Amino acid sequence: MKLKRYFWPMVATATIVLSVWLLLRELRGLSLENVGDSLAAIPTLHWAMAGACTLVAYGALAGYDRVALLHLGKRINWLFITVCSFTTYALSHNIGASVVSGGVVRYRAYSTKGLSPAEIGLLIAFCSFTFILGTVTLIGLVLVLDPDIVKRFGDLLPMTASRATGAFLLFLVALYVLGSVMRFKPLHIGRFAIVYPSLHVTLSQLAVGICELLGAAGIIYFALPDAGNPGYFVVLGIFLMSFSAALISHVPGGLGVFELVFVMGLPDMADADVIAALLVFRLFYLIVPFIMALVVVLLFERSRFRSDRASEDT
């Protein structure tokens, strides 16, 4: 039990150290002054567009919870859902262990609306699957339409294998959609069961999952300069690879891992410009929402405390 308790924290710490070391080696010779110049060179319009992309991403994240509640047949005020979802993801993106940290926030919030622990657990699993569905769909599209993108990360896959992998991922998504259309029986994989939702819910999953990732990638795209910019589609592909690697690493906020993969994916751009764009992403997508989420949690807990005190007094 002690080994299990410390295993993932040790893995995360080792990953951070290794990633930071590799990143520093990749960025040797880079000065903070150059990064500052790159930040100052971002046009005002592009700052505004990056902010708009952040709103799109977090608006889609709110859709995760709304679609899950639709699948569960629960009706809750949309503003409550939006605030709860925003707080959940703002905390879990920074703290890591999204199932745990996000689960705590959702349990505290949705239990006040009458949802049982089992229903909240299903909601969390459904939201996680929606993210996976969106990620698999976009990675599949990127690999099919631009299989050469893997060459940016070394000879990981030949172009034919890359395109075949993308086609296979899209085939899996198509099977899931077909299961919803045909209302297949639940697919059991060990103790895990995939229950096919209605077609409306499935299409909503795809819409919000894809929109969230498109918005998040847009933050970085608009923060990058035009010189050497490979275009939004390539930036999206690199973002998907980087974000996936950061999540798999279990490192809070993907610190070091996300930056390392992104810098490797844009070898034709100045390192200072790439790092500046990633700092904008962290500011808009992680830091500002995290601060706002802490305020929301404090206000929520204070209101619950006052409500409990009032009920005790009566």
Side-chain angles (χ1 to χ4, degrees):
M1 291 299 294
K2 288 184 178 180
L3 180 61
K4 288 184 177 180
R5 183 184 305 172
Y6 295 111
F7 177 74
W8 284 117
M10 290 173 61
V11 170
T13 301
T15 304
I16 291 176
V17 173
L18 177 61
S19 298
V20 170
W21 178 73
L22 291 173
L23 183 62
L24 290 176
R25 191 178 69 170
E26 191 80 18
L27 300 177
R28 55 185 179 272
L30 178 67
S31 68
L32 293 177
E33 183 179 356
N34 291 337
V35 175
D37 292 340
S38 296
L39 286 170
I42 299 175
T44 302
L45 177 60
H46 284 204
W47 281 100
M49 293 300 295
C53 287
T54 306
L55 295 178
V56 169
Y58 272 93
L61 284 173
Y64 281 36
D65 285 43
R66 296 187 69 179
V67 173
L69 289 167
L70 179 64
H71 178 60
L72 294 173
K74 300 293 181 179
R75 291 183 176 273
I76 297 178
N77 179 272
W78 69 269
L79 181 60
F80 183 91
I81 296 172
T82 301
V83 174
C84 177
S85 176
F86 169 81
T87 306
T88 296
Y89 287 108
L91 292 176
S92 61
H93 285 161
N94 286 274
I95 297 173
S98 57
V99 174
V100 177
S101 56
V104 171
V105 174
R106 283 193 172 105
Y107 178 79
R108 288 288 294 161
Y110 288 122
S111 61
T112 66
K113 297 298 182 179
L115 269 69
S116 66
E119 290 173 330
I120 297 172
L122 286 173
L123 183 145
I124 294 171
F126 197 84
C127 289
S128 298
F129 186 76
T130 298
F131 169 77
I132 294 172
L133 189 64
T135 303
V136 169
T137 302
L138 284 179
I139 290 178
L141 286 172
V142 168
L143 291 179
V144 168
L145 298 177
D146 188 11
D148 282 340
I149 196 170
V150 296
K151 293 181 179 179
R152 292 177 173 270
F153 305 98
D155 297 327
L156 295 178
L157 288 172
M159 189 176 72
T160 52
S162 175
R163 181 165 280 155
T165 301
F168 177 71
L169 293 178
L170 293 178
F171 173 72
L172 294 179
V173 174
L175 278 182
Y176 179 67
V177 175
L178 180 62
S180 297
V181 173
M182 304 299 294
R183 302 309 300 267
F184 290 161
K185 293 181 179 180
L187 175 63
H188 293 275
I189 304 175
R191 292 183 298 176
F192 181 72
I194 298 178
V195 180
Y196 296 97
S198 66
L199 180 60
H200 172 66
V201 171
T202 298
L203 294 179
S204 298
Q205 279 184 285
L206 283 168
V208 297
I210 290 173
C211 284
E212 189 263 325
L213 294 166
L214 292 178
I219 301 172
I220 301 175
Y221 170 73
F222 284 109
L224 288 170
D226 293 333
N229 193 320
Y232 176 78
F233 195 72
V234 173
V235 172
L236 171 64
I238 297 170
F239 171 81
L240 292 170
M241 304 295 182
S242 305
F243 204 67
S244 299
L247 289 175
I248 294 172
S249 70
H250 292 275
V251 173
L255 184 62
V257 180
F258 182 75
E259 286 80 2
L260 175 63
V261 178
F262 223 105
V263 169
M264 290 174 59
L266 290 173
D268 298 329
M269 297 196 72
D271 291 339
D273 292 335
V274 178
I275 293 300
L278 296 179
L279 287 176
V280 173
F281 172 79
R282 286 198 174 274
L283 176 66
F284 281 17
Y285 192 77
L286 298 176
I287 298 174
V288 172
F290 182 63
I291 295 172
M292 295 172 64
L294 290 178
V295 174
V296 171
V297 170
L298 290 174
L299 293 176
F300 177 79
E301 293 298 336
R302 188 180 69 170
S303 67
R304 293 301 303 166
F305 177 76
R306 289 181 174 178
S307 177
D308 293 341
R309 286 288 299 273
S311 62
E312 289 176 2
D313 292 339
T314 57

